[in-house]
Amino acid sequence: MLGRSEVVEAVRHSGRVAIQALGTLTAGSRTVPDFLIIGAKRTGSTSLFRYLEQHPNIAPLFPSSRLPLMRENQKGVHYFDSNFERGEAWYRGHFQTASARRAGRLLAGEASPYYLFHPLAAERAAALMPTAKIIVLLRDPVERAFSHWSEQRRNGVEVLSFADALDAETARVADAEQQLLEHRLQHSFAHEQQSYAAQSCYAASLQRWIDRYGANRVLVRKSEDFYARTQQVFDDVTEFLGIDRHVLRDVAPWNAAPKTELDPRVRARLATYLLDDAIATRDLVGITWP
């Protein structure tokens, strides 16, 4: 027999499904987003999106937490990576109606951090919304990889040590990227969640998005700057989006995790592996780490 909390959650879930179906049915009155926060994973994209929600000219996704069915606003739709087969109407159904956005002078966006790494996401996004603005946060690549692994470990998904997971990465991921490109796979868990080192190789992923959108429509900032000078980087983002400056009320980070130490030997090994890409990233977007 289900407990009260399980019944409540089942009702919430059924309600969310019904509301989302309504969004899909009314997709013709809804517009695609103006901006995407595309990652990278574990770099602060959730925090940035939640801060943007504080701005009076940013629309929440549909449905929003104003409905009791939602514990909090949605952040990412993952359409251009894991849900593309659901179709454009399903995607549009996640955004406010065009009339509501005009009335409130609202911009819409979403944050799906796998978009940066997915080999088809840039192509798919540019085909549907070629004038969108793209926002990227990049973190020290070694720290990002370790944080990615740590999250999977906390979630009970990753059973290997970080060193062993790095050793296993090539075999785990195998040819998933090629299969995604050839549409032989709709989604690969290993490609998304166990590609710790590969997702810290930023240059090729960035190049895909810059090729599709142009450098002037892609804003790249360092995560370290974002957390050290939050309002300043947030001002860069609002200027990029063409909306008024807004003083943040709350800059507490989202999805923060306890700090754990990385074995110096593993750090050195991974840094060596990632060095060439760090140089390529510097040459592409001018970002460096010590």
Side-chain angles (χ1 to χ4, degrees), residues 173-211:
V173 178
D175 66 341
E177 179 158 324
Q178 190 60 38
Q179 291 195 57
L180 289 166
L181 284 167
E182 295 173 357
H183 308 287
R184 291 186 287 127
L185 276 180
Q186 292 287 346
H187 177 251
S188 166
F189 175 83
H191 188 269
E192 179 178 1
Q193 300 294 359
Q194 296 177 321
S195 50
Y196 308 119
Q199 289 201 46
S200 284
C201 293
Y202 301 133
S205 297
L206 284 169
Q207 191 66 65
R208 282 196 295 264
W209 286 89
I210 291 171
D211 287 347

Side-chain angles (χ1 to χ4, degrees), residues 19-92:
I19 292 293
Q20 192 55 65
L22 173 63
T24 302
L25 288 171
T26 57
S29 66
R30 301 175 187 275
T31 57
V32 294
D34 305 285
F35 68 91
L36 298 173
I37 301 174
I38 63 170
K41 279 180 173 292
R42 301 301 300 166
T43 63
S45 57
T46 298
S47 294
L48 177 56
F49 188 78
R50 295 307 185 201
Y51 299 161
L52 279 168
E53 287 183 317
Q54 298 180 32
H55 196 289
N57 296 118
I58 298 295
L61 272 70
F62 177 83
S64 75
S65 60
R66 283 175 287 192
L67 290 176
L69 298 169
M70 304 293 292
R71 297 183 186 277
E72 61 183 24
N73 287 342
Q74 300 177 78
K75 179 198 75 167
V77 183
H78 286 278
Y79 174 59
F80 300 114
D81 49 35
S82 305
N83 291 303
F84 194 66
E85 74 282 359
R86 293 177 180 264
E88 182 183 336
W90 178 85
Y91 186 53
R92 285 176 177 266

Side-chain angles (χ1 to χ4, degrees), residues 2-281:
L2 294 177
R4 183 177 183 278
S5 62
E6 293 171 308
V7 171
V8 169
E9 186 51 43
V11 171
R12 284 179 182 271
H13 176 73
S14 297
R16 288 193 296 267
V17 170
I19 292 293
Q20 192 55 65
L22 173 63
T24 302
L25 288 171
T26 57
S29 66
R30 301 175 187 275
T31 57
V32 294
D34 305 285
F35 68 91
L36 298 173
I37 301 174
I38 63 170
K41 279 180 173 292
R42 301 301 300 166
T43 63
S45 57
T46 298
S47 294
L48 177 56
F49 188 78
R50 295 307 185 201
Y51 299 161
L52 279 168
E53 287 183 317
Q54 298 180 32
H55 196 289
N57 296 118
I58 298 295
L61 272 70
F62 177 83
S64 75
S65 60
R66 283 175 287 192
L67 290 176
L69 298 169
M70 304 293 292
R71 297 183 186 277
E72 61 183 24
N73 287 342
Q74 300 177 78
K75 179 198 75 167
V77 183
H78 286 278
Y79 174 59
F80 300 114
D81 49 35
S82 305
N83 291 303
F84 194 66
E85 74 282 359
R86 293 177 180 264
E88 182 183 336
W90 178 85
Y91 186 53
R92 285 176 177 266
H94 286 80
F95 301 98
Q96 303 294 328
T97 63
S99 59
R101 288 178 56 191
R102 282 195 302 270
R105 295 184 298 113
L106 302 176
L107 296 183
E110 57 131 335
S112 296
Y114 183 37
Y115 284 168
L116 177 63
F117 187 61
H118 193 282
L120 291 173
E123 174 187 335
R124 290 167 171 175
L128 179 62
M129 32 196 279
T131 62
K133 294 185 177 181
I134 309 301
I135 301 167
V136 189
L137 290 174
L138 299 182
R139 182 178 180 179
D140 176 293
V142 174
E143 293 293 341
R144 193 223 66 83
F146 184 53
S147 180
H148 186 172
W149 169 85
S150 298
E151 179 183 57
Q152 294 301 100
R153 189 81 163 185
R154 287 192 303 275
N155 291 343
V157 174
E158 180 58 79
V159 297
L160 299 180
S161 70
F162 187 46
D164 288 344
L166 292 175
D167 288 338
E169 183 170 321
T170 299
R172 281 172 155 181
V173 178
D175 66 341
E177 179 158 324
Q178 190 60 38
Q179 291 195 57
L180 289 166
L181 284 167
E182 295 173 357
H183 308 287
R184 291 186 287 127
L185 276 180
Q186 292 287 346
H187 177 251
S188 166
F189 175 83
H191 188 269
E192 179 178 1
Q193 300 294 359
Q194 296 177 321
S195 50
Y196 308 119
Q199 289 201 46
S200 284
C201 293
Y202 301 133
S205 297
L206 284 169
Q207 191 66 65
R208 282 196 295 264
W209 286 89
I210 291 171
D211 287 347
R212 295 286 177 176
Y213 280 93
N216 64 328
R217 301 193 77 83
V218 180
L219 180 71
V220 183
R221 289 294 183 266
K222 287 174 62 171
S223 301
E224 292 81 1
D225 293 342
F226 175 56
Y227 284 118
R229 297 182 290 280
T230 303
Q231 185 67 55
Q232 179 181 325
V233 174
F234 186 76
D235 290 347
D236 291 345
V237 171
T238 54
E239 181 179 4
F240 175 67
L241 294 177
I243 53 180
D244 291 341
R245 185 178 186 271
H246 180 76
V247 177
L248 293 169
R249 302 184 306 274
D250 180 7
V251 294
W254 288 70
N255 291 346
K259 180 72 173 177
T260 55
E261 293 301 317
L262 173 56
D263 184 324
R265 293 167 298 180
V266 179
R267 177 185 295 279
R269 167 189 157 204
L270 184 55
T272 298
Y273 174 80
L274 294 171
L275 179 59
D276 287 348
D277 186 82
I279 293 170
T281 300

